[in-house]
Amino acid sequence: MPAKDRFHDSVKVALQKDGWIITHDPLTLEIGLRQVYIDLGAEKLIAAQKDNREIAIEVKTFAGASSITEFHLAVGQFLNYRSILRRQQPNRLLYLAVAIET
C-alpha cells in the first residue's frame, strides 16, 4: 500500500464536511496482474435526482525537488488512472487535489 501524501487527511476531512461519504481509502483498481491505488473514493447521494455521484481523488503535495517533474508525474498518473476508471468504473469522476500554492 502506498504512503499517504501530506494533505491526504485534510482532503478527506474536507470531503466529509461537504457531505461526501468516503467509500475507499485507498480506492484499489486492478489492471492485469497489477493493482493501482487512487488515494480516495467517495460518493454523495443527490436527493433531487435520487442518484449517487461517485468520485475518486488523487492527492498530490508537489514536495519533490522539481515542481515541473512533480507536475509531469502527477499529470501522467492522473491520465493513467482516468483511463482505468473509464473502463472499470465509468460513472466515477477523477479529481486531482493539490494545495492552493501549487
Side-chain angles (χ1 to χ4, degrees):
M1 186 111 32
K4 292 181 181 178
D5 283 273
R6 183 174 49 175
F7 299 117
H8 180 96
D9 291 332
S10 298
V11 171
K12 184 175 176 178
V13 168
L15 287 166
Q16 290 170 325
K17 284 184 178 181
D18 193 43
W20 291 90
I21 298 166
I22 303 301
T23 57
H24 302 85
D25 185 3
L27 173 62
T28 305
L29 301 172
E30 292 188 15
I31 181 156
L33 297 175
R34 299 183 186 266
Q35 293 181 326
V36 296
Y37 303 96
I38 301 174
D39 289 316
L40 295 166
E43 66 181 33
K44 188 177 201 180
L45 180 64
I46 301 175
Q49 298 175 356
K50 297 193 185 305
D51 194 16
N52 278 353
R53 286 184 57 201
E54 295 181 317
I55 61 174
I57 303 94
E58 181 62 21
V59 181
K60 290 295 177 196
T61 59
F62 287 74
S66 169
S67 296
I68 297 298
T69 299
E70 293 289 322
F71 170 76
H72 286 277
L73 289 172
V75 170
Q77 191 174 28
F78 179 89
L79 293 173
N80 286 335
Y81 289 174
R82 186 177 68 178
S83 176
I84 296 165
L85 275 174
R86 283 183 175 166
R87 284 179 272 151
Q88 295 184 13
Q89 298 183 23
N91 294 329
R92 191 180 295 272
L93 295 176
L94 179 62
Y95 292 92
L96 181 62
V98 298
I100 290 173
E101 301 84 43
T102 302

